[in-house]
Amino acid sequence: MTRILHVEDDADIREITQLALALSGQFELHQFTNGDEALQQAAGIAPDLLLLDVMMPGMSGPELLVALRDVPGLAEVPAIFMTARVQKTEIAGFLEQGAIGVIAKPFDPVSLGQQIHDILAAPATAAQPA
Amino acid sequence: MTRSNLKKFTSVSVFALVAVQVAAMIDQRGEWHVLGDLLPWISASAALGMVLLWLSFRRMAARHRSVWTEHLKLGKAVEALHAHGMVVQTDSQGRITFANERFLEATGYCADELVSQPVEMLYFPEDLWVQDELLATIGKGETWTGDTRLRRRDGGEVWTNVTLLPGVDDEGRRSGAISVRTDITESRKKLIDREVFQTLDCIVDQVFIFDLDSLEVKYANQSARAAHGLTDSLAGYGPLGAIHALYTGPEFTGMLDNLRDGGQKLAHCDLVRDGTHFEARLQILDAEDGTRKVLASLRDISLRVEAQHQRDEFISTVSHELRSPMTSVKGAMGLLLAGAGGEPTAQTRNILEIAHRNADRLVSLIDDLLDIEKIASGNMTFNMERHDIGALIDEAIEANGPFSRRFDVTIERDGAEGGQVFIDFDRSLQVLNNLLSNAAKFSPAGGKVIVACRELPEAFEVSVTDHGTGIPAEMVPKVFDKYAQVGAQRDGPVRGTGLGLAIVKAIAEEQGGCVALDSAEGEGSTFYVTFPKPAAGDPGPVEERQEKAS
């Protein structure tokens, strides 16, 4: 069971994500609506994966990732951004900021779990966008 | 007193003296004295006459000297006139009868080439109206003064300030004309130069003129002087680098190198100086003295850059704002179709599939609109690398498998041509995806789409052939235009955004390729797109380069 810390400000997308990942039954999802909440709870969750929206009110996804890296035990946890900002230069920027992959919105809920598994199995690098 | 008056005066004086003496020699008795009595009077009269004659000659000699002096002065004046001015005489027929050395020197003719020729030969055709005006003035016996342009023997121009006077013939009658001209070509050039510099001073762009080799700044317009705190100076403004460090930076010196050694006449780039964005344009000015000067103009494009930034932000935001709700819409329908809400009935599934399919169309439309926007604004980036054309085709066919199966269409590759092309792989995949999905959409159920590849001298040509409805002949020239929807009038699930083929064409051309189409209505269509071969030194894909580096 992969424990995921999911931060997404859109309630509908949070629910779709939860339903989509429940299809496979291989993920334990901990969802938060903003970065501050996630930071407060992150250490206690000890996630295996950070699944972060990019454009959020307050702290953005990349800013949250930087902050989460300072949380004990999260410095090396893989991170994936879920975003509608999928221009090539934007994806390259997210990878440079430390993500191992980017899942474009709208995503296919049926294959979302498989996408996450694929990225974890073959992380992208900044020089080689997924 | 004139000479004749002097003669009369002398004669009367002598006659009067003789009469007085004769009267004196008759005594009171009425008797004559002898000749001896007359001699003194005769001598005195002769002496007086001689004196008067001498005075007359002296006066004549003085007048003669005066006339000679005037003649010498006039000669010198004519000499000065010929040395300074250009003199031409014409006869009553407008033929040249005389041209002085100064005129010959200025126009490049020799005297034999001008004499007896019509004076019109000295004018440019477009200036002949001036000649008509001159002749009209001379015909009235008046003098004409003004600036005229003459045509040199070599076709060049000489600007002159001319005074034209009516001439006279040998009998002193009015005939022809005499023109006296001053060469004002240089002063006119200076005047034009001054006007040019005054104009440059008025424009908003910052303008410099500097020597390409020494980089000494010869001129800076008012805007440039104000921007750099320079004082107007005829002595120049020192070296370019002393004005601002930007002009010794790599962008600026790179442009100078291109002008100096690259044989270019023009160079331009965008610069940032003290936080302000400028578009810099450099142009070589070939000076008459053989030196190479550069005209540099810097245009403040901060507003344009800011507008572009805002536009990019807007595109990005719109993209996000449209995609986020579509994530929920598509996700919800996808989950329902996957049975997350229980197994749907056939009818429910059918309705959900219609909604899901149109949600896909909406996402495609968003993507296409963003691509068109990027193309129009020149913001579509291309990561050009060497790739194998066969790998590109195979990946496109594989990616379109699920889509084509929806239409019960199979995609087959004809042959296995391969070779290196120099492309952006993702954008090229987008091109083939678009052509393949179109071909599948417009093919009949059970149909085949054939993908072939042909090697050309400088490119590989990929063709995508379907056996569908084809395209009406009148639509063929328009299919690559934006919003040209071949299927717009048709029903069914085959409508696209009307932007796909415009994007295909733009991407192909940005990569140095081209697109073409053969189609027959009712028989099918073949779309062609070329991908250029790499040139020596073109880079390979990133992973290949990394392998080589390691």
Side-chain angles (χ1 to χ4, degrees):
Chain A
M1 186 76 75
T2 305
R3 192 178 298 131
I4 298 177
L5 184 148
H6 180 214
V7 187
E8 167 65 64
D9 64 305
D10 187 313
D12 290 339
I13 296 177
R14 278 201 308 275
E15 190 164 354
I16 294 291
T17 306
Q18 186 182 31
L19 291 168
L21 295 181
L23 290 175
S24 68
Q26 297 174 348
F27 301 97
E28 178 186 322
L29 205 57
H30 296 264
Q31 294 187 310
F32 300 94
T33 58
N34 59 59
D36 291 332
E37 284 182 14
L39 277 171
Q40 287 174 9
Q41 303 290 327
I45 294 168
D48 304 311
L49 173 68
L50 307 174
L51 191 59
L52 309 176
D53 183 24
V54 171
M55 291 178 73
M56 294 185 287
M59 201 180 298
S60 71
E63 288 169 346
L64 175 58
L65 179 58
V66 171
L68 286 170
R69 293 298 183 211
D70 292 334
V71 174
L74 300 189
E76 302 293 332
V77 175
I80 297 174
F81 283 122
M82 293 179 78
T83 179
R85 304 184 70 157
V86 288
Q87 296 189 44
K88 193 180 287 186
T89 51
E90 291 172 328
I91 292 175
F94 297 140
L95 298 180
E96 281 181 4
Q97 288 162 349
I100 61 165
V102 176
I103 293 175
K105 292 177 180 175
F107 54 82
D108 175 15
V110 178
S111 64
L112 180 61
Q114 189 57 50
Q115 278 192 75
I116 291 172
H117 279 308
D118 290 346
I119 292 172
L120 286 171
T125 65
Q128 186 187 7
Chain B
M1 186 179 286
T2 63
R3 189 176 179 182
S4 60
N5 286 341
L6 184 65
K7 277 182 181 176
K8 287 175 188 170
F9 176 76
T10 306
S11 303
V12 170
S13 300
V14 170
F15 178 77
L17 281 169
V18 171
V20 169
Q21 291 305 314
V22 169
M25 282 187 296
I26 298 172
D27 63 14
Q28 293 176 344
R29 294 181 305 268
E31 296 175 349
W32 288 84
H33 292 281
V34 295
L35 184 61
D37 293 331
L38 291 175
L39 267 177
W41 292 102
I42 293 170
S43 300
S45 297
L48 180 59
M50 289 297 288
V51 168
L52 291 172
L53 271 175
W54 179 76
L55 286 172
S56 175
F57 280 128
R58 190 177 166 192
R59 191 178 294 271
M60 284 175 61
R63 180 169 299 280
H64 181 74
R65 276 199 305 277
S66 172
V67 169
W68 179 246
T69 304
E70 289 299 321
H71 176 74
L72 284 178
K73 286 180 180 174
L74 184 60
K76 287 292 179 188
V78 171
E79 193 178 327
L81 176 67
H82 283 301
H84 171 79
M86 302 152 65
V87 180
V88 171
Q89 286 178 272
T90 56
D91 62 16
S92 58
Q93 304 298 311
R95 292 185 298 254
I96 298 168
T97 56
F98 169 77
N100 72 348
E101 283 300 320
R102 186 76 185 83
F103 186 91
L104 298 175
E105 184 185 320
T107 58
Y109 287 100
C110 61
D112 291 345
E113 291 172 318
L114 291 180
V115 172
S116 302
Q117 297 299 316
V119 74
E120 284 85 356
M121 69 177 290
L122 295 169
Y123 289 87
F124 288 92
E126 61 269 29
D127 294 346
L128 283 175
W129 64 273
V130 179
Q131 173 69 0
D132 294 340
E133 186 181 315
L134 295 179
L135 291 175
T137 306
I138 294 302
K140 289 186 282 187
E142 296 172 358
T143 300
W144 190 93
T145 302
D147 294 348
T148 61
R149 184 175 62 150
L150 298 180
R151 183 167 61 181
R152 285 175 49 86
R153 189 176 187 275
D154 60 10
E157 60 180 26
V158 182
W159 277 93
T160 63
N161 178 261
V162 58
T163 298
L164 192 72
L165 306 140
V168 289
D169 62 14
D170 293 342
E171 277 73 41
R173 290 174 301 196
R174 205 169 72 196
S175 175
I178 303 171
S179 66
V180 180
R181 298 169 185 270
T182 304
D183 187 343
I184 58 167
T185 308
E186 283 305 314
S187 59
R188 192 177 176 85
K189 278 183 184 171
K190 285 176 183 167
L191 179 67
I192 292 170
D193 285 349
R194 193 163 67 237
E195 287 174 351
V196 168
F197 286 126
Q198 283 171 349
T199 305
L200 286 176
D201 258 351
C202 294
I203 66 174
V204 177
D205 293 352
Q206 296 171 28
V207 178
F208 295 101
I209 296 175
F210 58 89
D211 188 280
L212 179 57
D213 297 314
S214 68
L215 301 184
E216 286 286 324
V217 178
K218 308 290 184 186
Y219 171 78
N221 75 344
Q222 193 170 21
S223 180
R225 294 196 301 270
H228 295 288
L230 301 172
T231 308
D232 192 8
S233 167
L234 290 174
Y237 300 92
L240 195 61
I243 292 177
H244 197 284
L246 176 73
Y247 306 129
T248 53
E251 295 97 345
F252 204 88
T253 53
M255 286 196 294
L256 291 176
D257 290 343
N258 286 335
L259 295 177
R260 195 182 290 116
D261 308 318
Q264 294 180 9
K265 291 280 185 187
L266 280 167
H268 60 87
C269 75
D270 290 349
L271 303 169
V272 180
R273 191 184 70 204
D274 305 327
T276 304
H277 292 262
F278 288 95
E279 178 186 59
R281 289 179 174 274
L282 270 57
Q283 181 172 1
I284 291 265
L285 304 174
D286 288 320
E288 288 177 355
D289 61 3
T291 60
R292 290 187 301 172
K293 292 187 173 56
V294 176
L295 176 81
S297 65
L298 278 74
R299 174 165 296 180
D300 186 341
I301 56 168
S302 297
L303 289 177
R304 195 202 305 170
V305 169
E306 176 59 24
Q308 183 64 50
H309 178 68
Q310 288 177 353
R311 187 172 171 163
D312 291 345
E313 279 293 310
F314 174 76
I315 291 170
S316 185
T317 303
V318 167
S319 168
H320 178 263
E321 295 305 322
L322 290 175
R323 281 168 177 272
S324 290
M326 289 310 298
T327 303
S328 300
V329 172
K330 271 192 50 138
M333 289 185 291
L335 287 168
L336 286 174
L337 284 168
E343 187 59 33
T345 64
Q347 190 176 13
T348 303
R349 176 175 290 279
N350 189 36
I351 293 168
L352 279 172
E353 282 177 346
I354 290 171
H356 195 251
R357 194 162 53 235
N358 281 279
D360 280 341
R361 274 188 58 204
L362 196 50
V363 173
S364 295
L365 180 61
I366 294 167
D367 290 342
D368 286 355
L369 283 171
L370 291 172
D371 278 346
I372 281 289
E373 167 59 28
K374 277 188 276 187
I375 289 166
S377 62
N379 283 341
M380 182 171 272
T381 54
F382 288 85
N383 181 26
M384 301 294 284
E385 294 172 335
R386 287 170 185 260
H387 291 281
D388 182 69
I389 188 70
L392 177 73
I393 294 169
D394 290 341
E395 188 158 335
I397 291 173
E398 187 181 342
N400 272 272
F403 184 82
S404 60
R405 281 193 287 279
R406 268 177 50 192
F407 295 90
D408 191 21
V409 172
T410 54
I411 302 175
E412 292 181 1
R413 185 171 173 190
D414 181 15
E417 286 279 346
Q420 292 281 297
V421 286
F422 189 63
I423 55 172
D424 180 311
F425 193 87
D426 292 341
R427 291 292 178 197
S428 299
L429 199 58
Q430 185 180 351
V431 166
L432 292 186
N433 281 343
N434 196 296
L435 296 180
L436 291 174
S437 61
N438 272 354
K441 279 191 291 186
F442 290 103
S443 288
K448 281 184 182 176
V449 172
I450 307 298
V451 184
C453 181
R454 182 165 69 106
E455 184 172 2
L456 303 176
E458 295 181 350
F460 280 92
E461 178 192 78
V462 177
S463 60
V464 177
T465 302
D466 67 65
H467 299 91
T469 52
I471 296 169
E474 68 272 16
M475 280 299 297
V476 169
K478 301 176 186 171
V479 292
F480 292 107
D481 294 346
K482 273 191 281 188
Y483 307 111
Q485 255 287 354
V486 176
Q489 297 82 19
R490 304 176 186 188
D491 295 329
V494 294
R495 287 193 60 181
T497 62
L499 295 170
L501 288 177
I503 294 169
V504 163
K505 181 172 185 281
I507 291 174
E509 291 178 351
E510 283 290 330
Q511 295 187 136
C514 59
V515 291
L517 165 66
D518 284 333
S519 188
E521 196 166 10
E523 296 179 17
S525 306
T526 301
F527 283 83
Y528 303 91
V529 57
T530 60
F531 300 96
K533 291 178 180 176
D538 283 340
V542 171
E543 60 270 28
E544 193 177 293
R545 295 202 298 274
Q546 285 175 336
E547 282 169 17
K548 283 181 183 172
S550 60

